Amino acid sequence: MADVPLIPELSTTLTVPHVAQDDHWDTTLMLCNPNITETSLTVTFYSRTGKEAPIQWRTIPAQGSAKLHVGDMLPDPAYGPPGSIHIHSTRRIAGFTVYDNLKSGGKCHAGVALTE
């Protein structure tokens, strides 16, 4: 992977602007908690039509990280294909989204730094 942008500051609110999760693509969230205490996350999915899916809760240990596979967290299909994800944290964190098509035989990786 190349051209990973530096994350200039930590935030309590992060947005994944695009979700690529289907038969060809996977989306993985990489989150870092540099704080000396654990942080709790609220992860909310929005469909491409803007419909909000039920909230999911996660934690990241103190000075730890989390790798969240979007495919394992998807809401009920009735909400439609996910369009974006919003993450709210009790502590300031940093995040990056990785997209890949390895499951369909591809060799592509792409990424986006998460921002407020």
Side-chain angles (χ1 to χ4, degrees), residues 29 34 36 39 43 46 49 91 103 105:
L29 307 178
I36 60 171
T39 187
V43 181
Y46 290 89
T49 61
R91 306 268 184 262
K103 70 181 177 186

Side-chain angles (χ1 to χ4, degrees), residues 4-105:
V4 176
L6 297 176
I7 298 170
E9 61 184 62
L10 303 174
S11 180
T12 57
T13 303
L14 300 173
T15 299
V16 180
H18 170 70
V19 176
Q21 191 64 48
D22 57 26
D23 293 340
H24 299 284
W25 290 93
D26 281 321
T27 300
T28 304
L29 307 178
M30 309 292 206
L31 303 170
C32 299
N33 175 17
N35 300 290
I36 60 171
T37 56
E38 80 173 13
T39 187
S40 297
L41 306 175
T42 304
V43 181
T44 307
F45 287 85
Y46 290 89
S47 73
R48 291 179 187 160
T49 61
K51 189 172 183 182
E52 184 176 330
I55 293 172
Q56 297 189 25
W57 303 92
R58 299 283 192 270
T59 59
I60 303 175
Q63 298 178 335
S65 62
K67 180 178 181 180
L68 305 177
H69 297 279
V70 170
D72 295 338
M73 300 169 48
L74 285 177
D76 184 292
Y79 287 92
S84 64
I85 300 172
H86 297 267
I87 301 166
H88 298 279
S89 174
T90 56
R91 306 268 184 262
R92 295 172 63 81
I93 61 173
F96 193 78
T97 304
V98 177
Y99 305 98
D100 72 69
N101 67 348
L102 303 178
K103 70 181 177 186
S104 62

